[in-house]
Amino acid sequence: MAVEVIVLNGGSSAGKSSIARCLQEVLPGAWLTFGVDTLVEAMPLSLQNSVDGIEFGPNGEVSAGPEFSLLDAAWSAGIAAMVRAGARVIIDEVFLGGPDSQERWYKALRGLPVLWVGVRCDPAVAAVREAARGDRVVGMAESQARIVHEGVTYDLEVDTTSSTSADCARLIAARAH
């Protein structure tokens, strides 16, 4: 069965969004891309940087509250429903909860053909990218670079430290067929 979902997991500024865009160009047919940033941006401002929603600490720490967890569960179920309705989806994720985060997606995507991809990047390189972006809490990239992969299993891993997003996308696309 051909892959219908590609889950890209990596820390902030690892290159997941760039890889997702490149995948849309190299994969046959139309693929939608959704990331955890999509969910955060869709949330009411009252839940952004709130103990009930999602909080960003001064050193890049991220904490999810009960309202965020409810919305996150509904969001993953909704993406799975779109795939079941015929869409193919690339998910740009940050598994802050490690294997628990992956398990939530396993449950939502049960029965669907999924390719699990770890997107790694040297923490120092991710920190430089983060600073250049200017839209992230400083320290987030470095703090997430390794922790998001702890206890998580993948079908494939790519490293954007010295590989381009296009090269990573071609490796992933070859595995997705």
Side-chain angles (χ1 to χ4, degrees), residues 61-124:
E61 312 89 356
V62 180
S63 303
E67 286 295 318
F68 178 85
S69 296
L70 287 172
L71 293 172
D72 192 36
W75 179 69
S76 58
I79 289 176
M82 289 175 24
V83 175
R84 289 185 176 93
R88 289 176 293 183
V89 175
I90 302 162
I91 301 168
D92 171 347
E93 255 291 2
V94 181
F95 288 171
L96 293 174
D100 291 340
S101 297
Q102 187 174 35
E103 181 61 26
R104 178 181 49 80
W105 276 108
Y106 271 132
K107 288 178 181 175
L109 301 172
R110 189 164 316 223
L112 296 170
V114 179
L115 180 66
W116 298 91
V117 181
V119 179
R120 295 187 181 269
C121 182
D122 179 87

Side-chain angles (χ1 to χ4, degrees), residues 18-168:
S18 296
I19 290 172
R21 291 289 174 217
C22 289
L23 280 168
Q24 287 179 309
E25 292 180 21
V26 300
L27 289 168
W31 285 75
L32 301 174
T33 298
F34 296 102
V36 68
D37 290 344
T38 310
L39 171 62
V40 173
E41 290 168 10
M43 291 171 36
L45 290 176
S46 63
L47 291 178
Q48 296 179 25
N49 225 10
S50 142
V51 69
D52 291 329
I54 189 166
E55 279 189 295
F56 302 96
N59 298 312
E61 312 89 356
V62 180
S63 303
E67 286 295 318
F68 178 85
S69 296
L70 287 172
L71 293 172
D72 192 36
W75 179 69
S76 58
I79 289 176
M82 289 175 24
V83 175
R84 289 185 176 93
R88 289 176 293 183
V89 175
I90 302 162
I91 301 168
D92 171 347
E93 255 291 2
V94 181
F95 288 171
L96 293 174
D100 291 340
S101 297
Q102 187 174 35
E103 181 61 26
R104 178 181 49 80
W105 276 108
Y106 271 132
K107 288 178 181 175
L109 301 172
R110 189 164 316 223
L112 296 170
V114 179
L115 180 66
W116 298 91
V117 181
V119 179
R120 295 187 181 269
C121 182
D122 179 87
V125 172
V128 169
R129 291 177 186 169
E130 173 184 72
R133 290 173 71 159
D135 66 348
R136 294 287 188 261
V137 176
V138 175
M140 189 181 296
E142 195 164 2
S143 71
Q144 293 176 2
R146 288 188 178 89
I147 195 166
V148 300
H149 300 291
E150 291 177 5
V152 177
T153 57
Y154 300 111
D155 299 310
L156 175 67
E157 293 188 44
V158 295
D159 191 325
T160 66
T161 303
S162 56
S163 295
T164 68
S165 297
D167 287 342
C168 292

